[in-house]
Amino acid sequence: METFSLVVTIGVALFFTYTNGFHDSANAIATSVSTRALTPRAALAMAAVMNLAGAFLGTGIAHTVSEGLIETPHGQTGMAILFSGLVGAIVWNLITWYYGLPSSSSHALFGGLVGAALAGGTGVIWSGVVDKVILPMFLSPVVGLVVGYLVMLAILWIFRKANPHKAKRGFRIAQTVSAAGMALGHGLQDAQKTMGVVVLALTIADVQEEGDGIPLWVKFACAAMLSLGTYAGGWRIMRTLGRKIIELDPPQGFAAETTAASILYTTAYIFKAPISTTHIITSAIMGVGATKRVNAVRWGVAKNIVTGWFITMPAAGLVAALVYAVVHVAFG
């Protein structure tokens, strides 16, 4: 029974990674596709490869997820908590994908884990949740907005005397690089989150000790599922990011992607904080768009997106708690 529950939980974790890639593929390539820097299929293929590569570039975030958010639960109760947390995150991912809402897969996962832990009587490390999840949730969109605004202002000043048509053509080519950088950052951040959950499952099942490293097969499995999900693509969200917030041109797309990628690398390597790629690219697009004129950004769309961000954690947590209750009743 213990082996069966471990296999099921790891299977659900990998399926979450697939929905994560599917849901977030827009983050990496929406701006490049909307500005016609890349064709949709070429962009998805590039993003899938770069996500795969990014998954092998670090482990700090995985340790934060596996050890820093909830106390390690034990036995079948522990496995039920993980399972329920993952199902809560998957359900919320699918709901927001259906409505084309670029919400955070990361916060859906964290909300699911915390909700299931509370329902199952396992302690939540609130200092870790506040430092690694809540504070970045508020700060990272502000940083993305301001840095995106400043980067775009710098581009406008540097190329103020350039031929507009030649400049746009150059930035369209440059977007190939910035989109690849963004996809690499997405793989670096998001694959590690599921690695952390799988490591936690292995620890609960006593397959490995707390504090052990991430097995190579876990890295390969998470990277491959994230890559497959990315290639499947989430077109509904891509339309929201690429066109509904603001009509982007190549310099704006380059500025937004460069800003977002830079923040993802900085937070992963320096702070080991699991930042939402969705929050970063969306806020960077808003900041870049505001340089055109403030009312060029469709703030009504932005308001709906930001509202979705704030309800993601409690909503995923509530679903996870309900799933845990069902599992507890069904299997004791």
Side-chain angles (χ1 to χ4, degrees), residues 6 9-10 13 59 62-63 65-67 72 79 82 192-219 222:
L6 173 64
T9 302
I10 290 175
T59 58
H63 289 303
V65 173
S66 64
E67 299 172 8
T72 304
M79 208 60 79
L82 274 194
Q192 286 192 57
K193 292 161 190 168
T194 309
M195 288 179 202
V197 174
V198 175
V199 166
L200 191 54
L202 295 172
T203 305
I204 291 171
D206 293 326
V207 175
Q208 67 176 55
E209 296 293 325
E210 197 168 344
D212 285 354
I214 304 171
L216 192 58
W217 69 265
V218 174
K219 292 184 180 182
C222 293

PDB file of all heavy atoms in Angstrom, residues 6 9-10 13 59 62-63 65-67 72 79 82 192-219 222:
ATOM      1  N   LEU A   6       3.004   5.927  -2.876  1.00  0.00           N
ATOM      2  CA  LEU A   6       4.168   6.705  -3.319  1.00  0.00           C
ATOM      3  C   LEU A   6       4.162   6.865  -4.842  1.00  0.00           C
ATOM      4  O   LEU A   6       4.361   7.970  -5.362  1.00  0.00           O
ATOM      5  CB  LEU A   6       5.460   6.017  -2.867  1.00  0.00           C
ATOM      6  CG  LEU A   6       6.768   6.635  -3.396  1.00  0.00           C
ATOM      7  CD1 LEU A   6       6.944   8.058  -2.867  1.00  0.00           C
ATOM      8  CD2 LEU A   6       7.976   5.775  -3.021  1.00  0.00           C
ATOM      9  N   THR A   9       1.369   9.263  -5.896  1.00  0.00           N
ATOM     10  CA  THR A   9       1.698  10.658  -5.567  1.00  0.00           C
ATOM     11  C   THR A   9       2.742  11.222  -6.526  1.00  0.00           C
ATOM     12  O   THR A   9       2.618  12.370  -6.994  1.00  0.00           O
ATOM     13  CB  THR A   9       2.209  10.757  -4.110  1.00  0.00           C
ATOM     14  OG1 THR A   9       1.202  10.239  -3.241  1.00  0.00           O
ATOM     15  CG2 THR A   9       2.505  12.197  -3.740  1.00  0.00           C
ATOM     16  N   ILE A  10       3.766  10.431  -6.830  1.00  0.00           N
ATOM     17  CA  ILE A  10       4.788  10.903  -7.780  1.00  0.00           C
ATOM     18  C   ILE A  10       4.157  11.091  -9.168  1.00  0.00           C
ATOM     19  O   ILE A  10       4.453  12.062  -9.870  1.00  0.00           O
ATOM     20  CB  ILE A  10       5.974   9.920  -7.838  1.00  0.00           C
ATOM     21  CG1 ILE A  10       6.757   9.979  -6.530  1.00  0.00           C
ATOM     22  CG2 ILE A  10       6.893  10.249  -9.014  1.00  0.00           C
ATOM     23  CD1 ILE A  10       7.886   8.975  -6.426  1.00  0.00           C
ATOM     24  N   ALA A  13       2.333  14.273  -9.099  1.00  0.00           N
ATOM     25  CA  ALA A  13       3.297  15.381  -9.099  1.00  0.00           C
ATOM     26  C   ALA A  13       3.810  15.654 -10.513  1.00  0.00           C
ATOM     27  O   ALA A  13       3.941  16.810 -10.933  1.00  0.00           O
ATOM     28  CB  ALA A  13       4.464  15.058  -8.167  1.00  0.00           C
ATOM     29  N   THR A  59      19.351  23.812  -7.636  1.00  0.00           N
ATOM     30  CA  THR A  59      18.581  22.973  -6.712  1.00  0.00           C
ATOM     31  C   THR A  59      18.067  23.759  -5.499  1.00  0.00           C
ATOM     32  O   THR A  59      17.344  23.217  -4.684  1.00  0.00           O
ATOM     33  CB  THR A  59      19.444  21.802  -6.190  1.00  0.00           C
ATOM     34  OG1 THR A  59      20.603  22.339  -5.544  1.00  0.00           O
ATOM     35  CG2 THR A  59      19.879  20.882  -7.315  1.00  0.00           C
ATOM     36  N   ALA A  62      14.268  23.846  -5.028  1.00  0.00           N
ATOM     37  CA  ALA A  62      13.724  22.527  -4.675  1.00  0.00           C
ATOM     38  C   ALA A  62      13.873  22.268  -3.175  1.00  0.00           C
ATOM     39  O   ALA A  62      12.961  21.746  -2.525  1.00  0.00           O
ATOM     40  CB  ALA A  62      14.437  21.438  -5.470  1.00  0.00           C
ATOM     41  N   HIS A  63      15.008  22.651  -2.586  1.00  0.00           N
ATOM     42  CA  HIS A  63      15.209  22.475  -1.148  1.00  0.00           C
ATOM     43  C   HIS A  63      14.254  23.364  -0.356  1.00  0.00           C
ATOM     44  O   HIS A  63      13.747  22.965   0.694  1.00  0.00           O
ATOM     45  CB  HIS A  63      16.655  22.778  -0.782  1.00  0.00           C
ATOM     46  CG  HIS A  63      17.616  21.723  -1.270  1.00  0.00           C
ATOM     47  ND1 HIS A  63      17.489  20.399  -0.909  1.00  0.00           N
ATOM     48  CD2 HIS A  63      18.682  21.791  -2.100  1.00  0.00           C
ATOM     49  CE1 HIS A  63      18.455  19.694  -1.484  1.00  0.00           C
ATOM     50  NE2 HIS A  63      19.184  20.518  -2.224  1.00  0.00           N
ATOM     51  N   VAL A  65      11.246  24.244  -1.269  1.00  0.00           N
ATOM     52  CA  VAL A  65       9.912  23.647  -1.339  1.00  0.00           C
ATOM     53  C   VAL A  65       9.822  22.392  -0.472  1.00  0.00           C
ATOM     54  O   VAL A  65       8.836  22.178   0.243  1.00  0.00           O
ATOM     55  CB  VAL A  65       9.554  23.307  -2.804  1.00  0.00           C
ATOM     56  CG1 VAL A  65       8.245  22.521  -2.879  1.00  0.00           C
ATOM     57  CG2 VAL A  65       9.445  24.580  -3.626  1.00  0.00           C
ATOM     58  N   SER A  66      10.871  21.559  -0.502  1.00  0.00           N
ATOM     59  CA  SER A  66      10.801  20.270   0.215  1.00  0.00           C
ATOM     60  C   SER A  66      10.984  20.412   1.720  1.00  0.00           C
ATOM     61  O   SER A  66      10.508  19.582   2.485  1.00  0.00           O
ATOM     62  CB  SER A  66      11.836  19.292  -0.348  1.00  0.00           C
ATOM     63  OG  SER A  66      13.149  19.779  -0.111  1.00  0.00           O
ATOM     64  N   GLU A  67      11.654  21.482   2.165  1.00  0.00           N
ATOM     65  CA  GLU A  67      11.978  21.573   3.590  1.00  0.00           C
ATOM     66  C   GLU A  67      11.516  22.863   4.260  1.00  0.00           C
ATOM     67  O   GLU A  67      11.501  22.938   5.488  1.00  0.00           O
ATOM     68  CB  GLU A  67      13.498  21.449   3.772  1.00  0.00           C
ATOM     69  CG  GLU A  67      14.051  20.126   3.264  1.00  0.00           C
ATOM     70  CD  GLU A  67      15.578  20.099   3.281  1.00  0.00           C
ATOM     71  OE1 GLU A  67      16.189  21.044   3.820  1.00  0.00           O
ATOM     72  OE2 GLU A  67      16.150  19.144   2.739  1.00  0.00           O
ATOM     73  N   THR A  72       7.789  18.110   7.608  1.00  0.00           N
ATOM     74  CA  THR A  72       7.709  16.840   6.871  1.00  0.00           C
ATOM     75  C   THR A  72       6.681  15.920   7.524  1.00  0.00           C
ATOM     76  O   THR A  72       6.863  15.498   8.670  1.00  0.00           O
ATOM     77  CB  THR A  72       9.075  16.144   6.852  1.00  0.00           C
ATOM     78  OG1 THR A  72      10.035  17.039   6.301  1.00  0.00           O
ATOM     79  CG2 THR A  72       9.014  14.875   6.010  1.00  0.00           C
ATOM     80  N   MET A  79       1.514  11.133   2.928  1.00  0.00           N
ATOM     81  CA  MET A  79       1.358  10.945   1.479  1.00  0.00           C
ATOM     82  C   MET A  79       0.005  11.503   1.019  1.00  0.00           C
ATOM     83  O   MET A  79      -0.103  12.066  -0.080  1.00  0.00           O
ATOM     84  CB  MET A  79       1.467   9.454   1.145  1.00  0.00           C
ATOM     85  CG  MET A  79       1.990   9.183  -0.246  1.00  0.00           C
ATOM     86  SD  MET A  79       3.641   9.868  -0.534  1.00  0.00           S
ATOM     87  CE  MET A  79       4.665   8.654   0.272  1.00  0.00           C
ATOM     88  N   LEU A  82       0.357  15.276   0.612  1.00  0.00           N
ATOM     89  CA  LEU A  82       1.017  15.646  -0.651  1.00  0.00           C
ATOM     90  C   LEU A  82       0.075  15.461  -1.843  1.00  0.00           C
ATOM     91  O   LEU A  82      -0.037  16.331  -2.706  1.00  0.00           O
ATOM     92  CB  LEU A  82       2.263  14.784  -0.859  1.00  0.00           C
ATOM     93  CG  LEU A  82       3.582  15.228  -0.240  1.00  0.00           C
ATOM     94  CD1 LEU A  82       4.721  14.444  -0.851  1.00  0.00           C
ATOM     95  CD2 LEU A  82       3.793  16.708  -0.435  1.00  0.00           C
ATOM     96  N   GLN A 192      12.090  22.914 -10.533  1.00  0.00           N
ATOM     97  CA  GLN A 192      12.595  22.652  -9.182  1.00  0.00           C
ATOM     98  C   GLN A 192      11.466  22.541  -8.162  1.00  0.00           C
ATOM     99  O   GLN A 192      11.601  21.864  -7.142  1.00  0.00           O
ATOM    100  CB  GLN A 192      13.533  23.770  -8.755  1.00  0.00           C
ATOM    101  CG  GLN A 192      14.881  23.729  -9.425  1.00  0.00           C
ATOM    102  CD  GLN A 192      15.837  24.674  -8.731  1.00  0.00           C
ATOM    103  OE1 GLN A 192      16.086  24.572  -7.537  1.00  0.00           O
ATOM    104  NE2 GLN A 192      16.364  25.621  -9.491  1.00  0.00           N
ATOM    105  N   LYS A 193      10.358  23.236  -8.417  1.00  0.00           N
ATOM    106  CA  LYS A 193       9.256  23.192  -7.452  1.00  0.00           C
ATOM    107  C   LYS A 193       8.692  21.772  -7.348  1.00  0.00           C
ATOM    108  O   LYS A 193       8.424  21.270  -6.260  1.00  0.00           O
ATOM    109  CB  LYS A 193       8.185  24.200  -7.852  1.00  0.00           C
ATOM    110  CG  LYS A 193       8.675  25.645  -7.702  1.00  0.00           C
ATOM    111  CD  LYS A 193       7.844  26.635  -8.485  1.00  0.00           C
ATOM    112  CE  LYS A 193       8.531  27.996  -8.485  1.00  0.00           C
ATOM    113  NZ  LYS A 193       7.954  28.938  -9.447  1.00  0.00           N
ATOM    114  N   THR A 194       8.511  21.120  -8.491  1.00  0.00           N
ATOM    115  CA  THR A 194       8.019  19.744  -8.440  1.00  0.00           C
ATOM    116  C   THR A 194       9.090  18.796  -7.939  1.00  0.00           C
ATOM    117  O   THR A 194       8.783  17.821  -7.246  1.00  0.00           O
ATOM    118  CB  THR A 194       7.531  19.290  -9.826  1.00  0.00           C
ATOM    119  OG1 THR A 194       6.639  20.265 -10.330  1.00  0.00           O
ATOM    120  CG2 THR A 194       6.804  17.961  -9.736  1.00  0.00           C
ATOM    121  N   MET A 195      10.342  19.068  -8.273  1.00  0.00           N
ATOM    122  CA  MET A 195      11.428  18.232  -7.717  1.00  0.00           C
ATOM    123  C   MET A 195      11.340  18.234  -6.195  1.00  0.00           C
ATOM    124  O   MET A 195      11.512  17.190  -5.544  1.00  0.00           O
ATOM    125  CB  MET A 195      12.793  18.791  -8.139  1.00  0.00           C
ATOM    126  CG  MET A 195      13.143  18.599  -9.598  1.00  0.00           C
ATOM    127  SD  MET A 195      14.776  19.336  -9.911  1.00  0.00           S
ATOM    128  CE  MET A 195      14.675  19.609 -11.676  1.00  0.00           C
ATOM    129  N   GLY A 196      11.083  19.419  -5.617  1.00  0.00           N
ATOM    130  CA  GLY A 196      10.968  19.518  -4.167  1.00  0.00           C
ATOM    131  C   GLY A 196       9.841  18.657  -3.624  1.00  0.00           C
ATOM    132  O   GLY A 196       9.993  17.993  -2.590  1.00  0.00           O
ATOM    133  N   VAL A 197       8.697  18.623  -4.337  1.00  0.00           N
ATOM    134  CA  VAL A 197       7.557  17.821  -3.891  1.00  0.00           C
ATOM    135  C   VAL A 197       7.876  16.325  -3.989  1.00  0.00           C
ATOM    136  O   VAL A 197       7.557  15.543  -3.080  1.00  0.00           O
ATOM    137  CB  VAL A 197       6.304  18.159  -4.728  1.00  0.00           C
ATOM    138  CG1 VAL A 197       5.160  17.225  -4.376  1.00  0.00           C
ATOM    139  CG2 VAL A 197       5.881  19.589  -4.483  1.00  0.00           C
ATOM    140  N   VAL A 198       8.525  15.905  -5.072  1.00  0.00           N
ATOM    141  CA  VAL A 198       8.860  14.489  -5.240  1.00  0.00           C
ATOM    142  C   VAL A 198       9.868  14.051  -4.172  1.00  0.00           C
ATOM    143  O   VAL A 198       9.754  12.955  -3.597  1.00  0.00           O
ATOM    144  CB  VAL A 198       9.415  14.216  -6.666  1.00  0.00           C
ATOM    145  CG1 VAL A 198       9.884  12.772  -6.784  1.00  0.00           C
ATOM    146  CG2 VAL A 198       8.363  14.520  -7.720  1.00  0.00           C
ATOM    147  N   VAL A 199      10.846  14.921  -3.890  1.00  0.00           N
ATOM    148  CA  VAL A 199      11.816  14.607  -2.827  1.00  0.00           C
ATOM    149  C   VAL A 199      11.101  14.462  -1.492  1.00  0.00           C
ATOM    150  O   VAL A 199      11.409  13.554  -0.696  1.00  0.00           O
ATOM    151  CB  VAL A 199      12.899  15.713  -2.755  1.00  0.00           C
ATOM    152  CG1 VAL A 199      13.706  15.604  -1.459  1.00  0.00           C
ATOM    153  CG2 VAL A 199      13.832  15.611  -3.949  1.00  0.00           C
ATOM    154  N   LEU A 200      10.114  15.335  -1.244  1.00  0.00           N
ATOM    155  CA  LEU A 200       9.336  15.239   0.001  1.00  0.00           C
ATOM    156  C   LEU A 200       8.594  13.902   0.058  1.00  0.00           C
ATOM    157  O   LEU A 200       8.555  13.249   1.117  1.00  0.00           O
ATOM    158  CB  LEU A 200       8.350  16.411   0.055  1.00  0.00           C
ATOM    159  CG  LEU A 200       7.612  16.669   1.383  1.00  0.00           C
ATOM    160  CD1 LEU A 200       8.597  16.806   2.533  1.00  0.00           C
ATOM    161  CD2 LEU A 200       6.746  17.925   1.263  1.00  0.00           C
ATOM    162  N   ALA A 201       8.040  13.459  -1.076  1.00  0.00           N
ATOM    163  CA  ALA A 201       7.340  12.162  -1.117  1.00  0.00           C
ATOM    164  C   ALA A 201       8.309  11.016  -0.821  1.00  0.00           C
ATOM    165  O   ALA A 201       7.976  10.081  -0.079  1.00  0.00           O
ATOM    166  CB  ALA A 201       6.692  11.969  -2.487  1.00  0.00           C
ATOM    167  N   LEU A 202       9.499  11.085  -1.392  1.00  0.00           N
ATOM    168  CA  LEU A 202      10.505  10.033  -1.148  1.00  0.00           C
ATOM    169  C   LEU A 202      10.943  10.019   0.314  1.00  0.00           C
ATOM    170  O   LEU A 202      11.197   8.953   0.891  1.00  0.00           O
ATOM    171  CB  LEU A 202      11.721  10.257  -2.058  1.00  0.00           C
ATOM    172  CG  LEU A 202      11.462  10.104  -3.565  1.00  0.00           C
ATOM    173  CD1 LEU A 202      12.695  10.535  -4.357  1.00  0.00           C
ATOM    174  CD2 LEU A 202      11.083   8.669  -3.900  1.00  0.00           C
ATOM    175  N   THR A 203      11.004  11.195   0.923  1.00  0.00           N
ATOM    176  CA  THR A 203      11.377  11.278   2.346  1.00  0.00           C
ATOM    177  C   THR A 203      10.282  10.680   3.223  1.00  0.00           C
ATOM    178  O   THR A 203      10.566   9.941   4.175  1.00  0.00           O
ATOM    179  CB  THR A 203      11.626  12.753   2.743  1.00  0.00           C
ATOM    180  OG1 THR A 203      12.601  13.315   1.868  1.00  0.00           O
ATOM    181  CG2 THR A 203      12.120  12.857   4.181  1.00  0.00           C
ATOM    182  N   ILE A 204       9.028  11.002   2.915  1.00  0.00           N
ATOM    183  CA  ILE A 204       7.899  10.459   3.689  1.00  0.00           C
ATOM    184  C   ILE A 204       7.884   8.935   3.616  1.00  0.00           C
ATOM    185  O   ILE A 204       7.603   8.243   4.600  1.00  0.00           O
ATOM    186  CB  ILE A 204       6.571  11.041   3.149  1.00  0.00           C
ATOM    187  CG1 ILE A 204       6.481  12.529   3.469  1.00  0.00           C
ATOM    188  CG2 ILE A 204       5.374  10.296   3.747  1.00  0.00           C
ATOM    189  CD1 ILE A 204       5.330  13.223   2.794  1.00  0.00           C
ATOM    190  N   ALA A 205       8.211   8.402   2.444  1.00  0.00           N
ATOM    191  CA  ALA A 205       8.186   6.949   2.246  1.00  0.00           C
ATOM    192  C   ALA A 205       9.460   6.265   2.735  1.00  0.00           C
ATOM    193  O   ALA A 205       9.646   5.058   2.512  1.00  0.00           O
ATOM    194  CB  ALA A 205       7.951   6.635   0.768  1.00  0.00           C
ATOM    195  N   ASP A 206      10.367   7.063   3.336  1.00  0.00           N
ATOM    196  CA  ASP A 206      11.639   6.535   3.858  1.00  0.00           C
ATOM    197  C   ASP A 206      12.520   5.937   2.766  1.00  0.00           C
ATOM    198  O   ASP A 206      13.344   5.048   3.026  1.00  0.00           O
ATOM    199  CB  ASP A 206      11.395   5.468   4.943  1.00  0.00           C
ATOM    200  CG  ASP A 206      10.776   6.066   6.201  1.00  0.00           C
ATOM    201  OD1 ASP A 206      11.107   7.233   6.512  1.00  0.00           O
ATOM    202  OD2 ASP A 206       9.957   5.400   6.849  1.00  0.00           O
ATOM    203  N   VAL A 207      12.341   6.416   1.541  1.00  0.00           N
ATOM    204  CA  VAL A 207      13.228   5.987   0.448  1.00  0.00           C
ATOM    205  C   VAL A 207      14.544   6.738   0.552  1.00  0.00           C
ATOM    206  O   VAL A 207      15.599   6.240   0.160  1.00  0.00           O
ATOM    207  CB  VAL A 207      12.554   6.241  -0.918  1.00  0.00           C
ATOM    208  CG1 VAL A 207      13.501   5.918  -2.067  1.00  0.00           C
ATOM    209  CG2 VAL A 207      11.274   5.403  -1.036  1.00  0.00           C
ATOM    210  N   GLN A 208      14.484   7.968   1.073  1.00  0.00           N
ATOM    211  CA  GLN A 208      15.718   8.708   1.314  1.00  0.00           C
ATOM    212  C   GLN A 208      15.561   9.563   2.565  1.00  0.00           C
ATOM    213  O   GLN A 208      14.450   9.761   3.061  1.00  0.00           O
ATOM    214  CB  GLN A 208      16.095   9.565   0.109  1.00  0.00           C
ATOM    215  CG  GLN A 208      15.158  10.725  -0.191  1.00  0.00           C
ATOM    216  CD  GLN A 208      15.693  11.565  -1.342  1.00  0.00           C
ATOM    217  OE1 GLN A 208      15.971  11.040  -2.429  1.00  0.00           O
ATOM    218  NE2 GLN A 208      15.866  12.861  -1.110  1.00  0.00           N
ATOM    219  N   GLU A 209      16.686  10.031   3.110  1.00  0.00           N
ATOM    220  CA  GLU A 209      16.671  10.807   4.348  1.00  0.00           C
ATOM    221  C   GLU A 209      16.445  12.281   4.048  1.00  0.00           C
ATOM    222  O   GLU A 209      16.766  12.764   2.961  1.00  0.00           O
ATOM    223  CB  GLU A 209      18.020  10.642   5.071  1.00  0.00           C
ATOM    224  CG  GLU A 209      18.312   9.223   5.524  1.00  0.00           C
ATOM    225  CD  GLU A 209      17.371   8.765   6.627  1.00  0.00           C
ATOM    226  OE1 GLU A 209      16.994   9.601   7.467  1.00  0.00           O
ATOM    227  OE2 GLU A 209      16.999   7.573   6.630  1.00  0.00           O
ATOM    228  N   GLU A 210      15.904  12.973   5.058  1.00  0.00           N
ATOM    229  CA  GLU A 210      15.721  14.420   4.928  1.00  0.00           C
ATOM    230  C   GLU A 210      17.086  15.084   4.755  1.00  0.00           C
ATOM    231  O   GLU A 210      18.034  14.779   5.479  1.00  0.00           O
ATOM    232  CB  GLU A 210      15.029  14.959   6.186  1.00  0.00           C
ATOM    233  CG  GLU A 210      14.421  16.333   6.006  1.00  0.00           C
ATOM    234  CD  GLU A 210      13.513  16.706   7.169  1.00  0.00           C
ATOM    235  OE1 GLU A 210      13.131  15.808   7.937  1.00  0.00           O
ATOM    236  OE2 GLU A 210      13.187  17.874   7.280  1.00  0.00           O
ATOM    237  N   GLY A 211      17.193  15.982   3.799  1.00  0.00           N
ATOM    238  CA  GLY A 211      18.456  16.672   3.546  1.00  0.00           C
ATOM    239  C   GLY A 211      19.297  16.025   2.459  1.00  0.00           C
ATOM    240  O   GLY A 211      20.313  16.587   2.028  1.00  0.00           O
ATOM    241  N   ASP A 212      18.896  14.810   2.004  1.00  0.00           N
ATOM    242  CA  ASP A 212      19.616  14.171   0.887  1.00  0.00           C
ATOM    243  C   ASP A 212      19.421  14.989  -0.395  1.00  0.00           C
ATOM    244  O   ASP A 212      18.475  15.770  -0.521  1.00  0.00           O
ATOM    245  CB  ASP A 212      19.101  12.744   0.671  1.00  0.00           C
ATOM    246  CG  ASP A 212      19.609  11.784   1.747  1.00  0.00           C
ATOM    247  OD1 ASP A 212      20.428  12.221   2.565  1.00  0.00           O
ATOM    248  OD2 ASP A 212      19.151  10.630   1.762  1.00  0.00           O
ATOM    249  N   GLY A 213      20.285  14.750  -1.361  1.00  0.00           N
ATOM    250  CA  GLY A 213      20.194  15.467  -2.631  1.00  0.00           C
ATOM    251  C   GLY A 213      19.034  14.983  -3.490  1.00  0.00           C
ATOM    252  O   GLY A 213      18.294  14.053  -3.128  1.00  0.00           O
ATOM    253  N   ILE A 214      18.872  15.634  -4.639  1.00  0.00           N
ATOM    254  CA  ILE A 214      17.788  15.273  -5.559  1.00  0.00           C
ATOM    255  C   ILE A 214      18.281  14.165  -6.488  1.00  0.00           C
ATOM    256  O   ILE A 214      19.279  14.365  -7.200  1.00  0.00           O
ATOM    257  CB  ILE A 214      17.361  16.483  -6.406  1.00  0.00           C
ATOM    258  CG1 ILE A 214      16.962  17.653  -5.492  1.00  0.00           C
ATOM    259  CG2 ILE A 214      16.209  16.118  -7.345  1.00  0.00           C
ATOM    260  CD1 ILE A 214      16.727  18.939  -6.234  1.00  0.00           C
ATOM    261  N   PRO A 215      17.642  12.991  -6.488  1.00  0.00           N
ATOM    262  CA  PRO A 215      18.079  11.919  -7.403  1.00  0.00           C
ATOM    263  C   PRO A 215      18.025  12.375  -8.867  1.00  0.00           C
ATOM    264  O   PRO A 215      17.134  13.156  -9.248  1.00  0.00           O
ATOM    265  CB  PRO A 215      17.057  10.809  -7.141  1.00  0.00           C
ATOM    266  CG  PRO A 215      16.515  11.086  -5.786  1.00  0.00           C
ATOM    267  CD  PRO A 215      16.506  12.582  -5.647  1.00  0.00           C
ATOM    268  N   LEU A 216      18.951  11.838  -9.644  1.00  0.00           N
ATOM    269  CA  LEU A 216      19.039  12.271 -11.050  1.00  0.00           C
ATOM    270  C   LEU A 216      17.762  11.951 -11.811  1.00  0.00           C
ATOM    271  O   LEU A 216      17.291  12.742 -12.639  1.00  0.00           O
ATOM    272  CB  LEU A 216      20.231  11.577 -11.713  1.00  0.00           C
ATOM    273  CG  LEU A 216      20.649  12.129 -13.082  1.00  0.00           C
ATOM    274  CD1 LEU A 216      20.987  13.609 -12.993  1.00  0.00           C
ATOM    275  CD2 LEU A 216      21.840  11.347 -13.636  1.00  0.00           C
ATOM    276  N   TRP A 217      17.120  10.796 -11.499  1.00  0.00           N
ATOM    277  CA  TRP A 217      15.913  10.424 -12.244  1.00  0.00           C
ATOM    278  C   TRP A 217      14.767  11.401 -11.956  1.00  0.00           C
ATOM    279  O   TRP A 217      13.914  11.642 -12.828  1.00  0.00           O
ATOM    280  CB  TRP A 217      15.487   8.989 -11.926  1.00  0.00           C
ATOM    281  CG  TRP A 217      14.970   8.766 -10.533  1.00  0.00           C
ATOM    282  CD1 TRP A 217      15.677   8.338  -9.457  1.00  0.00           C
ATOM    283  CD2 TRP A 217      13.622   8.952 -10.068  1.00  0.00           C
ATOM    284  NE1 TRP A 217      14.874   8.253  -8.345  1.00  0.00           N
ATOM    285  CE2 TRP A 217      13.598   8.622  -8.692  1.00  0.00           C
ATOM    286  CE3 TRP A 217      12.439   9.360 -10.663  1.00  0.00           C
ATOM    287  CZ2 TRP A 217      12.447   8.690  -7.916  1.00  0.00           C
ATOM    288  CZ3 TRP A 217      11.287   9.429  -9.899  1.00  0.00           C
ATOM    289  CH2 TRP A 217      11.294   9.102  -8.543  1.00  0.00           C
ATOM    290  N   VAL A 218      14.770  11.990 -10.748  1.00  0.00           N
ATOM    291  CA  VAL A 218      13.742  12.989 -10.423  1.00  0.00           C
ATOM    292  C   VAL A 218      13.940  14.233 -11.293  1.00  0.00           C
ATOM    293  O   VAL A 218      12.971  14.794 -11.824  1.00  0.00           O
ATOM    294  CB  VAL A 218      13.803  13.357  -8.924  1.00  0.00           C
ATOM    295  CG1 VAL A 218      12.840  14.501  -8.606  1.00  0.00           C
ATOM    296  CG2 VAL A 218      13.479  12.140  -8.061  1.00  0.00           C
ATOM    297  N   LYS A 219      15.198  14.642 -11.445  1.00  0.00           N
ATOM    298  CA  LYS A 219      15.477  15.810 -12.295  1.00  0.00           C
ATOM    299  C   LYS A 219      15.037  15.556 -13.735  1.00  0.00           C
ATOM    300  O   LYS A 219      14.393  16.406 -14.371  1.00  0.00           O
ATOM    301  CB  LYS A 219      16.980  16.131 -12.272  1.00  0.00           C
ATOM    302  CG  LYS A 219      17.473  16.640 -10.931  1.00  0.00           C
ATOM    303  CD  LYS A 219      18.949  17.024 -11.035  1.00  0.00           C
ATOM    304  CE  LYS A 219      19.462  17.549  -9.697  1.00  0.00           C
ATOM    305  NZ  LYS A 219      20.867  17.966  -9.767  1.00  0.00           N
ATOM    306  N   CYS A 222      11.062  15.392 -13.993  1.00  0.00           N
ATOM    307  CA  CYS A 222      10.416  16.702 -13.867  1.00  0.00           C
ATOM    308  C   CYS A 222      10.725  17.581 -15.083  1.00  0.00           C
ATOM    309  O   CYS A 222       9.844  18.278 -15.602  1.00  0.00           O
ATOM    310  CB  CYS A 222      10.872  17.399 -12.586  1.00  0.00           C
ATOM    311  SG  CYS A 222      10.304  16.582 -11.085  1.00  0.00           S
TER     312      CYS A 222
END
